[in-house]
Amino acid sequence: MKKLPSIFNDVIGPVMRGPSSSHTAASWRIARTCLDILNEPLQSAIIEFDKKGAWAPNFREQGTTMGIDGGLLGLEIADDRMKNTDLVAKEKGISITYEINSFSTNHANTVRLKLKGFSGKEVQIVAASLGGGSFEIQKINDFEVHIPGGFYELLIFAQTNQHATIQVQSVLSSEYQMWEYKKDEEMLLNVKSSKRFSDIELHHLKGHHMIDDLVFIHPVLPVVLGNETEMPFTTVASLIEYSEKENLDLGELGFIYEKHFSGLSEKELSAKMQEIIKIIEASISKGLEGTKYKDRILHQQSHLIREARKKGKISGNSLVNNIVANVTAIMEAKSAMEVIVANPTAGSCGTVGGVLKAVADDLNSTKKEKIKAYYAAGLAGAYFAQGPGFSAEEHGCQVECGAAGGMAAAGIAQLFGGTAKQAIGAASMAVQNIIGLVCDPVADRVEVPCLGKNVSAAMNAFSSATMACAGFDAVIPYDEVIQTVSKVSLQMPYCVKCTGLGGLAITPTSVRLKKELGKK
Ligand code: SF4
């Protein structure tokens, strides 16, 4: 089993623009980190994708270029200029080119970046996007490293020399973790910390005669790593046992979980989640107001629900209507490159936010109840992240809309006032219903069938939470369901894992749309 993930780093978030978190948000984070590694103003960048990898066929359509460009240009991901990075690159005199080549990788979403600074300094970096905004820098100038973007990090380049290591150790606090990598005569010391390095430490290192180059990397994840303390529960069974013993619901357990992960106070955690909810609800309002963006398949449709209801063309069930409208509004905001929250991914960003707002409005839930519902959803997602994770390129849509449905079901059960056991049972039922769901986006746009899958995931979540809180038995425990998702994905063909090579993506209509969109 992987290490337990963070709700903010790995499940709810990143706050982003663009169609896909694994393509856009992770690539933005990779590029921002690479800019730190270059450690001087960028002059040019050559970005390569392996021809057998999942990014090669669709890196433009799914927003990888937008994320990498924005990160390399030093833009914040919510910056409006992310929509027009070509212009920003021109203004700054920076050249960024993209190539498909052949090189060895250990993940489908791998990118190699060759960066050159204005002084002529060059650096080559290999990185992988691991799903839902997570990433890892894996190689720097052929040194194998593990940089996940959550620590304050130092890279100290020197000639291989034991004295250099000892001298660096004597300057730095013994609390830091240090990794030593060697290659021929060269050495890289990678120091990781959960706190900022002090000015005195950096000053001593900068002036040291044995150090060839010193690079400081800022964390790009919302929660800095390394502050974890022991959780009072780990497995799903121990979580339920703990909830019954302490009489806690899933939302309260979500708070406890993230507190142990981050070291943040309950007040800070509440404020952080409230900020996320604000951004999600703003994306619903933005979508419902109407969005414009030329390069997409679906234009505005979220307003059609209200209009159809007024004309008596659809059912008068306002909860169901609001679920469909809210989910659609978020998806439209995403496709128009407006700011959204990947939840757990950008492709599945409509489900949790859309349905939780509709249900909370229906129940007149308080702000505090909504925050707890998001923590319940986040905790259900954290167990999912610990299993297969959220990479559609590895597991198909069962880990995007499927995971989102499970999270939303837990959140709705929390809003209903259900127990932790019921909320986890709701998540189990919702995920059981989508095992094997393929990823086959039409014309490489994260719109069709993604919108319908998000709406279905939200309705699936609602019915699962209703069943669980009414006392239905999920039968298969949530962790066993999640493990089954991983097993089934091994049996799913590559062509239906976000490659554009199977399912609806190869229908004549999809092929035609791709051609037409390519001409725009
Ligand atoms: S089909 Fe699902 S996994 Fe694939 S791009 Fe659409 S939302 Fe994402």
Side-chain angles (χ1 to χ4, degrees):
M1 282 291 240
K2 290 184 227 165
K3 197 167 158 288
L4 285 186
S6 149
I7 290 176
F8 289 110
N9 285 353
D10 304 295
V11 184
I12 301 183
V15 174
M16 58 170 287
R17 288 180 191 273
S20 157
S21 43
S22 61
H23 287 73
T24 321
S27 62
W28 177 86
R29 287 173 168 177
I30 289 169
R32 277 303 283 263
T33 307
C34 290
L35 209 53
D36 279 350
I37 296 171
L38 179 65
N39 200 23
E40 67 170 46
L42 177 69
Q43 184 186 61
S44 63
I46 298 171
I47 314 301
E48 297 169 290
F49 303 108
D50 177 50
K51 68 177 176 196
K52 289 196 197 126
W55 273 0
N58 54 25
F59 64 93
R60 284 191 197 284
E61 294 84 348
Q62 296 217 5
T64 311
T65 49
M66 180 186 185
I68 290 182
D69 286 358
L72 289 179
L73 295 169
L75 300 178
E76 291 303 322
I77 199 161
D79 191 316
D80 213 40
R81 290 173 297 168
M82 285 287 290
K83 292 181 196 169
N84 205 344
T85 53
D86 285 350
L87 191 69
V88 181
K90 209 170 157 194
E91 281 166 7
K92 292 186 173 214
I94 297 172
S95 146
I96 305 174
T97 51
Y98 290 84
E99 294 177 3
I100 308 284
N101 285 321
S102 199
F103 56 97
S104 83
T105 66
N106 61 15
H107 192 283
N109 293 344
T110 299
V111 57
R112 187 162 68 184
L113 304 96
K114 292 176 178 165
L115 308 184
K116 189 172 176 188
F118 271 98
S119 80
K121 179 181 177 184
E122 291 182 345
V123 62
Q124 179 171 297
I125 298 156
V126 175
S129 157
L130 307 175
S134 303
F135 74 98
E136 184 181 60
I137 303 288
Q138 298 179 329
K139 272 188 195 173
I140 301 172
N141 290 345
D142 287 332
F143 285 110
E144 306 236 352
V145 294
H146 301 282
I147 297 177
F151 290 102
Y152 295 94
E153 309 223 13
L154 284 178
L155 301 178
I156 300 164
F157 295 89
Q159 296 303 304
T160 302
N161 180 336
Q162 215 189 344
H163 292 301
T165 309
I166 293 166
Q167 297 229 352
V168 167
Q169 279 169 334
S170 71
V171 169
L172 295 172
S173 158
S174 57
E175 279 176 24
Y176 307 149
Q177 298 172 47
M178 188 158 94
W179 308 86
E180 189 179 86
Y181 304 100
K182 287 185 181 153
K183 186 189 69 173
D184 305 325
E185 297 299 299
E186 293 172 74
M187 176 172 82
L188 167 60
L189 299 175
N190 177 204
V191 185
K192 295 178 193 290
S193 168
S194 56
K195 296 187 182 65
R196 284 180 180 280
F197 299 101
S198 74
D199 288 346
I200 298 174
E201 288 170 319
L202 293 177
H203 176 75
H204 280 305
L205 290 174
K206 268 180 198 157
H208 205 290
H209 69 281
M210 283 190 182
I211 294 175
D212 296 334
D213 196 11
L214 176 71
V215 167
F216 173 56
I217 301 177
H218 300 80
V220 287
L221 299 184
V223 172
V224 174
L225 302 176
N227 292 307
E228 300 90 336
T229 51
E230 202 182 334
M231 300 272 176
F233 50 85
T234 49
T235 61
V236 170
S238 68
L239 173 147
I240 291 172
E241 199 184 312
Y242 184 75
S243 76
E244 288 170 349
K245 195 169 129 233
E246 302 292 329
N247 195 23
L248 296 168
D249 59 34
L250 195 64
E252 288 162 330
L253 295 178
F255 262 106
I256 292 172
Y257 176 94
E258 196 66 2
K259 199 170 165 184
H260 279 276
F261 189 93
S262 64
L264 297 173
S265 68
E266 199 157 324
K267 199 171 162 202
E268 288 169 311
L269 291 170
S270 273
K272 236 174 163 41
M273 193 60 93
Q274 180 55 30
E275 185 55 31
I276 290 279
I277 297 171
K278 223 166 105 186
I279 297 167
I280 292 172
E281 297 196 346
S283 68
I284 294 176
S285 305
K286 187 87 197 168
L288 291 173
E289 268 166 31
T291 51
K292 288 198 176 78
Y293 194 76
K294 205 172 155 205
D295 190 16
R296 61 180 179 174
I297 301 171
L298 297 172
H299 295 281
Q300 200 195 351
Q301 302 180 108
S302 51
H303 65 296
L304 295 178
I305 301 295
R306 200 176 43 219
E307 287 177 11
R309 176 60 209 128
K310 266 193 207 154
K311 291 176 190 159
K313 288 183 175 176
I314 55 175
S315 138
N317 186 319
S318 61
L319 176 56
V320 169
N321 293 343
N322 287 340
I323 293 173
V324 179
N326 290 350
V327 172
T328 308
I330 300 177
M331 294 297 283
E332 287 174 355
K334 170 196 66 66
S335 297
M337 307 299 146
E338 299 296 344
V339 177
I340 52 119
V341 176
N343 197 359
T345 64
S348 59
C349 66
T351 302
V352 177
V355 72
L356 287 189
K357 173 152 175 46
V359 176
D361 286 350
D362 189 63
L363 297 172
N364 268 325
S365 304
T366 62
K367 198 195 273 184
K368 205 171 157 195
E369 285 165 341
K370 276 208 275 189
I371 291 173
K372 269 173 61 171
Y374 270 88
Y375 270 104
L379 187 49
Y383 280 96
F384 210 102
Q386 193 196 1
F390 304 118
S391 168
E393 290 82 356
E394 286 181 277
H395 305 285
C397 198
Q398 45 175 1
V399 302
E400 287 212 12
C401 293
M407 289 167 59
I412 298 166
Q414 174 70 42
L415 286 174
F416 284 166
T419 63
K421 191 175 177 187
Q422 287 170 331
I424 285 289
S428 170
M429 284 189 226
V431 179
Q432 286 177 37
N433 298 338
I434 55 73
I435 289 177
L437 192 66
V438 301
C439 171
D440 53 351
V442 164
D444 288 330
R445 298 303 200 274
V446 185
E447 295 182 79
V448 184
C450 314
L451 170 62
K453 285 178 177 175
N454 272 263
V455 172
S456 306
M459 300 305 287
N460 172 29
F462 184 71
S463 55
S464 298
T466 303
M467 290 192 287
C469 290
F472 285 30
D473 186 356
V475 182
I476 311 290
Y478 186 48
D479 48 353
E480 290 182 28
V481 174
I482 290 172
Q483 285 157 18
T484 306
V485 167
S486 298
K487 285 185 190 152
V488 169
S489 89
L490 293 174
Q491 294 152 350
M492 288 167 66
Y494 172 74
C495 66
V496 287
K497 291 182 178 175
C498 210
T499 52
L501 301 172
L504 296 172
I506 55 167
T507 54
T509 302
S510 177
V511 173
R512 175 179 57 75
L513 283 169
K514 190 169 174 174
K515 256 192 215 155
E516 286 172 10
L517 286 163
K519 284 182 200 148
K520 282 186 182 171

